[in-house]
């Protein structure tokens, strides 16, 4: 087998190794695999919504953070108040949908983590465990985005 063939087969080999590792009945490994998969899915969530007047379409991430705003060509003829209302309406709708998708993804994982933690030897329910370490996910790519100042925050110039 030459280097090219070996390089071509490497991803399949790695995937099989990962799957065989996941097949072992290790609750912590199962938890981590589920969390890793959930994080990949969370990063991929992008929800779109359109305002009722069709002037604005927005996209938000899994946490409802606005990532894109598109205006209909005629939207620039609307007043600032009308356009602002359309943007807020679409953003709120997209945010609600994103939170629903995020919660649907995370809720089963939290239930699994709680179930494993409650088993003997895995958490607070076990009197032999002196200290319980809470499971925390803090990936850098999913950290909170600081709030940007708005026009209303700036005051008179």
């Amino acid at each position: 087998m030459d280097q090219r063939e070996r390089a071509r087969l490497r991803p399949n080999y790695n995937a099989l190794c990962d799957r065989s590792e996941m097949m072992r009945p290790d609750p912590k490994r199962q938890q981590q695999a589920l969390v890793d998969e959930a994080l990949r899915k969370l990063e991929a969530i992008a929800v779109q919504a359109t305002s009722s007047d069709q002037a604005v379409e927005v996209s938000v991430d899994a946490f409802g953070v606005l990532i894109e705003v598109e205006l209909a060509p005629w939207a620039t003829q609307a007043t600032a108040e009308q356009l602002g209302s359309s943007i807020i309406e679409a953003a709120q709708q997209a945010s609600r949908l994103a939170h629903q998708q995020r919660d649907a993804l995370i809720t089963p994982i939290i239930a699994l983590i709680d179930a494993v933690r409650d088993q003997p030897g895995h958490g607070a329910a076990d009197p032999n465990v002196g200290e319980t370490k809470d499971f925390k996910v803090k990936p850098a790519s999913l950290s909170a985005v600081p709030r940007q100042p708005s026009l209303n925050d700036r005051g008179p110039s």
Side-chain angles (χ1 to χ4, degrees), residues 47-127:
V47 177
Q48 293 79 34
T50 304
S51 61
S52 59
D53 62 6
Q54 306 294 306
V56 177
E57 180 178 277
V58 301
S59 296
V60 299
D61 68 8
F63 298 93
V65 175
L66 197 59
I67 55 178
E68 185 175 0
V69 177
E70 290 186 37
L71 303 177
W74 50 268
T76 56
Q77 297 171 9
T79 67
E81 186 176 296
Q82 291 168 329
L83 190 55
S85 293
S86 295
I87 292 170
I88 290 170
E89 174 194 357
Q92 288 176 340
Q93 179 184 358
S95 182
R96 275 191 303 275
L97 294 170
H99 286 131
Q100 288 172 357
Q101 287 185 21
R102 185 193 67 211
D103 291 348
L105 185 64
I106 292 174
T107 300
I109 293 168
I110 292 171
L112 174 68
I113 291 168
D114 288 344
V116 169
R117 187 181 306 154
D118 290 343
Q119 291 177 357
H122 291 292
D126 185 357

